[in-house]
Each structure stands twice: as structure tokens, then as C-alpha cells.
Amino acid sequence: MLNHPSDPALLPRLLWSGLLLLLLAPTLPLTGFNPLALFDGATLKTLAGFVAGFLPPASDAIFLGEVIRSTVTTLAVATAGLALAMLVGMPLAFATTRALDRHALTGASASRWAEAGKSLLRGLMVLLRGVPEIVWALLFVRAAGLGSLPAVLALGLAYGGMLGKVYAEILESQPRGMARALRAAGAGRWQVCGYALLPQALPELVSYTVYRWECAIRASAVMGFVGAGGIGQLLDTSIKMMNGGEVSTLLLVFLLMVLATEGISRLSRRLLESRRGGATLAAAGMLVPLASLAWLLPAWREAGFDSGSLLRFAGEFLPPDASPALLADIGRGALETLAMALLGTALAFAGAALLALPASGRVGRVLKGLARLLLNLLRGIPDLLWAALAVLAVGLGPAAGVLALALHTSGVLGRLFAETLENAPPAPEQALRALGAGRLRAFCYGLLPEVWAQWLAYALYRGENNIRAAAVLGIVGAGGLGQQLYLALSLFQLPTAASLILAMLLLSWLLEQLSRLLRQRLEAAVGQMA
Amino acid sequence: MTALKLTLAGALLAVSALVSAEEAVLKVSAIPDEAPTELQRKFAPLGAYLEKELGMKVQFVPVTDYAAVVTALTSDKIDMAWLGGFTFVQASQRGKVVPLVQREEDSKFTSKYIANAEAGINSLKDLKGKNFAFGSASSTSGHLMPRYFLQKQGIKPESFFKNVAYSGAHDATVAWVASGKVEGGVLNASVWDKLVEAGKIDPAKVKLIGTTPAYYDYNWTVRGNLDAKLQQKITKAFLKLDPKNPEQQAILELQRASKFIPTKAANYKGIEAAAKEAGLLK
């Protein structure tokens, strides 16, 4: 065996795997995730009873009426929220984009005051999008009471920060020639933007906005979990009451809604290609937000809105609590959050790899179809929703978060992995097969090396996303910083909540830096290999 | 750009329309200490009775968590709410609210410690190193007072138990203990008695292991700026409920009250002190 090692790189491979396992080992006690607990008698019985209750889906008229109203509210909230986000994002993008900088267009030196102002606005956008929309929603629900208005405000702020940044970048990525020419001819900032940049960038801007609308619908559907109305609130109640029939109806409606939005989004991208389609799209872009407002307005009018109490509430957050006891708690919460994300992503990587093989069509048509269906289901249900369901299966705490992240991320990664498998050059594997290697070996040494770096890059990117997600899963009871935040806000300990939000922001920022570093290393390594 | 202007105009219109809100409806809510359908079932006959007595429409606003009821009452979104002792203290810290009446039982309320029958637990001491469930974090009888009394006995939940979880509601705590998800838990004595009477507790699964000392709990509270005459009318309507009248006895039965008595904010000073001592109020 030693004379003819079947794998010359066996030792380093084993070392790396061992190192990874060593890194994952502490996540088990930290999250209390015990795969065996899933199969423990009592859990299985509770779960079996609940799942058996899924059939038949609830279909009585009163409930269905409620579901339809809530679904329309969810759609209206997403649309109105995105409209508000555009109102926030467009001026921010216009003010901060480097594409309109005088010094970039004419070569004149930059004004220090203008630059400082722009930095300030950019910082504001980082803050707006750094706080997850579900946290914004929770804050507004606490400040302004229940209902759909907090959800719209939350989407408006979180997505406003995102749109502002991306709109600015889209403008910056356009060719500058026309803008320079107009500027040289004496045109002002508005004119350069309106006549040179916008016409070039419009398709990209619209297409990104439509994509964000799709995301907003998923986000709006889960905001109900913090009391912000819509289909999520119904789901929350049905899950708490362990009413399986209602849960299955709601999940079906949710999946249909996500599918329908994806369809509309594809259609609108196609419309964008013709002038007539563009006009239709513009008309829809005007009418749909107005219809949404009309739908939401009566409830808002009844609930009332008091900006004074909102400001008082905001004031109560200051100053953030920095007592050593709380900082220790936050440290523990952050560690729990990191462990949840790490273990969840690792499990998802394994699950995705397993599902990607049939999904790429390597083991027959039927299995391909089934695997794709499963992947779509896993991916289509947002992690927060999985977490709410997982809390039932494994109880409150970080273990539910691990399960939720593992399930949702398996779906996301599985699809991407299957695509890389399909796109990888088949020659090396075929050559190994022709030389007499078995199926498994040919796959491991012919195909896997082709896709491995890409898989790792995807996993790294999702891992980063998952830390951000893990930080908020606790809002539905799945441990980590989110659970502490929910508790603090429930007890009106607002300075504590402020510190927790700052910790979330810090964690997310640190992570972005680390991931950028890692990705650069990875790219360099891949470059060397090539 | 027209789209932008139209949306802007729409939004402005929306905001201006929101400022005015005055209606001849009494909006009532309750902390969700039991399943939402149970709350609605309990309230329906009481709501009908109040409508008749007050001569105005009474609307029940279902709410999914405790803190939301506090926010809604102190920001005048609802007129009256059924609060627990702790949520009442939170509400009076955050705005002007007036407690009107409480059940006779609420002046000597208790909580019950329960354990999974198969876990071999006979007293609180046996729960050391086991999993334990409170109800909602904002609950008086499901969290604050049991925590306070545990601490008086030298038990700090976070270090004494293996894991401290919040089930969200009293009936959920029982379900958790019965399923073995947690070995022990604590809930409101009134809900416990109701579940026992209804035969919803399987003695083979859940057993009682202790009771807390008595304290003041639930009351019906209105927002401070509600018309004083209306406040009086509401109080009178509650106090008038007579157990000898079969129709009214049914209402009292659902509220699990022998009768209603007047209450005052001073009754809850003890709760406030306990909340401060337990670290739930700063």
C-alpha cells in the first residue's frame, strides 16, 4: 500500500480535513446541536404529530379569506417598501456617485467639503443596510406598534441604503465619454446625470430594482414574525399553535408567491428590451406602488402614526449600555452566532455536494428532476422561516439555527454546485475512465479538482451571508445575538438593544474584511494552479 | 420622473391622512399569555356585554406578543388592555395608564412549578443541571415572579439550570414539559387549574412540584387620556358582573374570576421592586 499510494496527496489532504474538523469541533457544544436529538423518541413523536397534521392543508373559507388578504398585504408592503427605498436611495446615489464628481470629469481638484459630505452620506448608507431589515422591522414594531407600516419603513430604510450604494456603482460603471463632453460644454450636475448617465444606465438600474423587489417580497413575508403583518404573522400564529394544516396551506401559498414573482421578474427583464415593453414597465412601475398604498392606507389611518413617540423611542437607545456583564453576554452571543453559521454552512456544504450529483443529471433523469425539486424547496423557503419550523423540531436555541441554515444553504449551494458540475470540462474525467479508473476515482480525481475551488468560493460567500443571517435567526427563537436582541427589546431595555445592534454591525464588518482577505488568497492560489 | 412625483405625492397624502384618528370604538387587547384563538374565545361574551353596557362598539385587537400590547396602549393605539403585573409596570413607566379592575383572584395570585413525570423529579432541587422553561420573558406569573422567588431561594436560573428557555405562553410551557423537551417549567396557577379541570394534563406525563408565594397579578388597564366618564362606566360594568346571573356567570367563568374588584397602581409596587431585583427592570 505504501509503495503504491493511491493518492500522492493523501497526507496534506488528511491534514486539511483534520484541521477543518478541529475547527468545527467546538461548534457542537457551543450550539448544542446534536444530530441524534433529531431522532430522539420524544422529538420524533412531536414532529410526526405536527407533520401528520400538515395533511390535509387547511381550506375553510374564513381561513382562506384571511390568507388571501394577508398575501395581498405582503405584496403591497414589499412594493410600497421598495418605492420608499427608491425615494431614499435615488437622492443618496445622485449625491454620492463618483461618476458625477467634477474632478473625475474635468480633472479639477476636489472640494474638501463636498468630499466630507459624501463620506458622511456613504457612512449613513452603510448603517442603513448594515442593520438587517428584520431588525429594522422589530425596532419599528416596538416603537410604532403592530401592523404593516413598520414593515414598509423597515424595507424602505434597509433597501434604501442598498439601492443608494448599488445605483451609485452602476452610474460609476458607465462609460464616461458623454458625461465629460457635456460637462466640458458647461452642463451642470443634473444635466450630466439626466442626459448622459441615466440613458446609458437605465436598463441596468431597472433590472437591479426588479431583482430587489423580488427580495423585498421574501423579506416582507417573514417580517410578520415580529408582528409586522402579512402572511408571516399568520404563519407565526399557526406554528405557535402547532396547527399543521394551516402551516402547510401557508407554506404552499408562500412558495407560489415566490415562484410568481420570479416569473414576473423574468418577464420584466424581457420587456426592458423593447421600447414598447419599457413603456409598459414604466406604467406598471407607477400604478403598482399606488395600488399598494391604496390597499395599505385604511389600516394605517386606523392605527395612526405618531412621529413624536418614534423620536422619544429612538432617544431611549442612548447611551448604549457598556457594562462588563453585558459585554461578556454579547461575547457569548457573538460566539454562538459564529458557531451556528460555521456549522450550518459546513453541513450545507456536505448536503449540497450530495444533492448536486443527482441534480447535475449524473445518475439519471428522474433523480435529476427530484433533486432539483428538493433544492428549489430548500432554497425557496427563507432561513428565518426554516428557523421558525426548526424551533419546533429541536426546541429553542442555537441548534434550531444550525438546522435552519443547513437546510436553506443546502438548497442555495446545491444549485450552484450542480451548475459548476455541468459546466466543468468533461475531458479529464473521461480520460481517467478510459484508462480504467472506477466511477468514484474518476470523479474524485478527474472532475472534483475542476470544481473544487469554485465550490469553496461559493461556500465562503454563503458562509459570510450566513453569519449575518445567524445574527438575526434568534428573533424567532434560534439563539445567538438575535435572541438577546429580541429579549432586550421585549423588556424595553433599549440601551442594551443598542449595544447588541452595534455588535451585529461590528461582526458583519469584521467578517466582510476577513472574507475579502480570504477570497484574495483563494484567487491567488487558483491563479497559481492555472 | 412623473412616476417619482406621483409616488411622492401619494406618500405625502398617506402621511397626512395618518395624523387624524378619532373613532367611537373601544379598542381592547390582551397580552397573549395563551393561544390566540383561546384569547378570542374568552373575550367574545365579555366584549358583547361591554358593548351593551357602554353603548359603543367594542373591538378586540389580537396581538402576537406582550411588549406590543404595552407599546399599543402607551401610544394610544388601543384604549384598554388586559395586562399582567409586570406588563402593567412596564406600561406605567412608558406612559400614563390607569388600572381599573382586577379579578378577586389576582390579589393573591401564584405560579406552579411543574416537571416531566418520567424524569424522576420531585422538587426544585432535583432540577439542578436540567432544562427549564419560563413562559414569555415579559410574563409576570410565567417569568418575573418565579425568577424572583427562585433567586430568594438562592437559585440563579442561568447557572442552576442547564438551559433556560422561553416557551412564549403558559399552555406552551405545559406542552414542552409533557413532551420532555424540558424537564421542568413554571406557569400561571389559573391556567394550570383550567387545564387540569379540562382534563388536558396527563398525570403520567406532567406533575406538580411546587407553588410560589402569593403576589398581585393581572388587571384591566386603560390609557390615561381615555375619557374619565367612560373609564367610570367601564369600571362599573366590570364590578356589576354578578355570579348569580347565569349569563354573567358564564362571562366570569371564562375570565376565571369569582368577581371583579377595584384596583390601584400602588398594588403593583411589589412587582416593580421584584422586577428591579430580578434585573428585568432598570
Side-chain angles (χ1 to χ4, degrees):
Chain A
M1 215 29 209
L2 269 178
N3 293 337
H4 302 283
S6 52
D7 181 354
L10 192 63
L11 196 64
R13 270 173 226 246
L14 281 179
L15 271 177
W16 276 112
S17 315
L19 204 67
L20 192 67
L21 287 181
L22 217 60
L23 195 65
L24 284 175
T27 62
L28 285 174
L30 270 175
T31 57
F33 184 72
N34 178 3
L36 293 179
L38 277 179
F39 303 104
D40 137 272
T43 308
L44 277 185
K45 221 163 75 194
T46 335
L47 208 59
F50 183 62
V51 172
F54 269 46
L55 294 172
S59 59
D60 61 288
I62 301 176
F63 179 66
L64 282 187
E66 192 71 22
V67 171
I68 292 172
R69 264 194 304 283
S70 299
T71 310
V72 176
T73 302
T74 296
L75 292 171
V77 163
T79 310
L82 191 75
L84 180 63
M86 288 169 76
L87 290 182
V88 173
M90 284 193 289
L92 281 173
F94 178 72
T96 57
T97 184
R98 293 180 178 89
L100 289 169
D101 280 351
R102 194 155 47 111
H103 55 96
L105 294 177
T106 61
S109 63
S111 138
R112 198 170 297 164
W113 288 111
E115 284 311 298
K118 280 179 205 165
S119 300
L120 216 62
L121 287 178
R122 282 190 197 113
L124 174 71
M125 285 193 284
V126 170
L127 193 71
L128 286 179
R129 63 174 189 271
V131 177
E133 61 264 18
I134 188 94
V135 172
W136 279 121
L138 185 58
L139 288 174
F140 280 121
V141 164
R142 282 284 168 274
L146 302 163
S148 54
L149 187 59
V152 170
L153 293 175
L155 275 176
L157 291 189
Y159 281 31
M162 248 178 263
L163 288 181
K165 174 187 176 228
V166 176
Y167 283 171
E169 284 172 359
I170 290 177
L171 291 179
E172 281 158 25
S173 70
Q174 303 304 319
R176 298 270 167 92
M178 197 139 56
R180 283 214 183 90
L182 273 184
R183 183 80 211 194
R189 200 175 168 89
W190 282 101
Q191 286 158 319
V192 174
C193 185
Y195 293 101
L197 284 176
L198 268 185
Q200 288 175 324
L202 203 57
E204 224 176 309
L205 290 172
V206 172
S207 150
Y208 181 76
T209 309
V210 171
Y211 161 73
R212 268 293 142 203
W213 178 69
E214 233 180 281
C215 301
I217 284 176
R218 273 191 295 258
S220 144
V222 293
M223 277 183 186
F225 279 95
V226 296
I231 195 170
Q233 195 154 344
L234 281 187
L235 250 174
D236 184 38
T237 313
S238 301
I239 289 176
K240 268 192 192 147
M241 290 163 56
M242 300 194 89
N243 189 331
E246 288 181 9
V247 172
S248 65
T249 301
L250 288 166
L251 284 180
L252 278 176
V253 170
F254 176 79
L255 286 172
L256 279 178
M257 192 170 71
V258 169
L259 273 180
T261 3
E262 276 174 17
I264 294 176
S265 166
R266 258 199 306 278
L267 179 74
S268 60
R269 260 177 270 258
R270 201 159 341 122
L271 280 178
L272 206 56
E273 281 159 22
S274 72
R275 182 169 269 273
R276 188 105 156 264
T280 319
L281 202 59
M286 259 185 275
L287 288 176
V288 176
L290 284 179
S292 300
L293 269 183
W295 173 267
L296 296 171
L297 217 53
W300 292 358
R301 194 178 291 146
E302 200 175 311
F305 184 74
D306 177 3
S307 49
S309 75
L310 205 65
L311 283 178
R312 261 199 312 283
F313 185 79
E316 282 181 64
F317 279 89
L318 298 173
D321 183 355
S323 63
L326 178 67
L327 293 183
D329 267 354
I330 290 181
R332 240 190 326 272
L335 209 60
E336 209 172 272
T337 300
L338 278 172
M340 256 158 70
L342 200 63
L343 188 57
T345 312
L347 289 174
F349 190 89
L354 279 179
L355 283 171
L357 294 179
S360 64
R362 298 175 60 86
V363 279
R365 270 252 171 94
V366 182
L367 279 178
K368 175 175 174 169
L370 282 178
R372 296 239 146 175
L373 194 69
L374 181 59
L375 286 176
N376 279 335
L377 187 73
L378 290 171
R379 191 173 54 96
I381 296 182
D383 34 24
L384 260 166
L385 200 45
W386 276 124
L389 293 168
V391 165
L392 283 176
V394 294
L396 284 180
V402 171
L403 194 61
L405 289 175
L407 288 170
H408 178 71
T409 313
S410 293
V412 177
L413 286 181
R415 196 173 94 135
L416 293 169
F417 286 7
E419 271 168 22
T420 47
L421 282 179
E422 279 168 20
N423 297 335
E429 193 186 7
Q430 282 166 2
L432 281 176
R433 291 280 285 161
L435 286 171
R439 276 180 80 105
L440 184 69
R441 284 219 176 138
F443 172 75
C444 286
Y445 294 99
L447 190 54
L448 208 52
E450 302 275 349
V451 296
W452 191 247
Q454 190 64 48
W455 282 16
L456 276 184
Y458 280 143
L460 209 59
Y461 168 69
R462 277 318 297 192
E464 186 188 327
N465 261 345
N466 279 349
I467 295 190
R468 239 167 270 143
V472 297
L473 287 184
I475 288 175
V476 297
L481 288 172
Q483 197 160 347
Q484 295 175 330
L485 179 67
Y486 189 75
L487 214 58
L489 283 171
S490 293
L491 296 174
F492 296 104
Q493 296 172 345
L494 302 184
T496 306
S499 306
L500 283 162
I501 293 174
L502 284 177
M504 280 183 183
L505 281 172
L506 188 70
L507 190 67
S508 150
W509 180 81
L510 279 176
L511 207 78
E512 222 165 276
Q513 304 307 314
L514 185 72
S515 146
R516 191 153 60 191
L517 207 79
L518 272 175
R519 220 167 310 158
Q520 277 167 1
R521 285 279 164 86
L522 199 69
E523 268 160 30
V526 172
Q528 258 174 13
M529 269 197 285
Chain B
M1 283 298 113
T2 358
L4 184 76
K5 278 183 193 153
L6 270 175
T7 331
L8 197 64
L12 278 177
L13 215 82
V15 172
S16 61
L18 290 172
V19 181
S20 62
E22 194 74 38
E23 301 209 21
V25 183
L26 188 74
K27 287 193 207 157
V28 183
S29 194
I31 51 170
D33 62 337
E34 290 180 87
T37 42
E38 176 65 11
L39 289 183
Q40 304 241 24
R41 183 182 80 89
K42 270 164 58 174
F43 184 77
L46 177 63
Y49 168 77
L50 287 176
E51 272 189 351
K52 208 174 68 207
E53 292 292 316
L54 307 176
M56 67 192 294
K57 206 170 156 340
V58 174
Q59 183 196 348
F60 187 76
V61 184
V63 163
T64 46
D65 78 354
Y66 283 56
V69 182
V70 174
T71 310
L73 189 66
T74 51
S75 57
D76 303 345
K77 302 261 163 58
I78 53 173
D79 304 306
M80 178 165 83
W82 194 55
L83 297 179
F86 184 34
T87 27
F88 169 73
V89 170
Q90 287 178 326
S92 36
Q93 279 202 338
R94 305 187 61 73
K96 185 156 167 28
V97 294
V98 183
L100 296 181
V101 294
Q102 66 181 167
R103 301 174 298 191
E104 198 171 31
E105 287 78 358
D106 291 320
S107 58
K108 41 183 195 309
F109 211 80
T110 55
S111 306
K112 301 281 186 190
Y113 296 105
I114 56 172
N116 184 283
E118 288 160 9
I121 285 155
N122 297 308
S123 73
L124 273 175
K125 296 285 169 224
D126 296 340
L127 280 169
K128 190 175 168 68
K130 301 277 200 290
N131 296 302
F132 188 84
F134 288 112
S136 161
S138 318
S139 170
T140 312
S141 53
H143 180 213
L144 166 63
M145 293 317 282
R147 179 183 280 273
Y148 171 71
F149 290 124
L150 284 173
Q151 285 182 0
K152 288 236 139 165
Q153 285 178 265
I155 295 177
K156 192 174 179 306
E158 272 70 21
S159 50
F160 183 79
F161 301 116
K162 182 174 156 210
N163 220 328
V164 172
Y166 298 91
S167 75
H170 300 293
D171 41 6
T173 304
V174 174
W176 283 25
V177 173
S179 77
K181 195 144 276 184
V182 291
E183 282 90 351
V186 63
L187 77 152
N188 169 329
S190 166
V191 173
W192 169 259
D193 291 341
K194 177 165 87 174
L195 292 172
V196 169
E197 281 163 30
K200 286 192 179 152
I201 306 276
D202 182 351
K205 286 186 177 156
V206 183
K207 67 175 179 190
L208 190 66
I209 56 165
T211 306
T212 61
Y215 51 87
Y216 270 98
D217 204 346
Y218 297 92
N219 63 33
W220 282 99
T221 295
V222 293
R223 61 181 166 90
N225 51 2
L226 189 72
D227 177 49
K229 279 217 187 82
L230 184 55
Q231 293 189 20
Q232 279 171 6
K233 267 164 97 179
I234 296 173
T235 310
K236 236 167 95 191
F238 270 107
L239 297 180
K240 227 170 66 181
L241 281 167
D242 179 5
K244 291 194 200 82
N245 174 333
E247 209 173 294
Q248 297 183 4
Q249 167 59 17
I251 295 174
L252 286 168
E253 179 91 31
L254 275 176
Q255 299 297 317
R256 300 204 59 82
S258 53
K259 63 174 186 176
F260 280 93
I261 56 172
T263 191
K264 53 182 191 292
N267 288 349
Y268 296 90
K269 283 287 169 221
I271 298 270
E272 190 177 336
K276 282 193 175 132
E277 206 169 316
L280 299 183
L281 203 66
K282 290 198 175 144

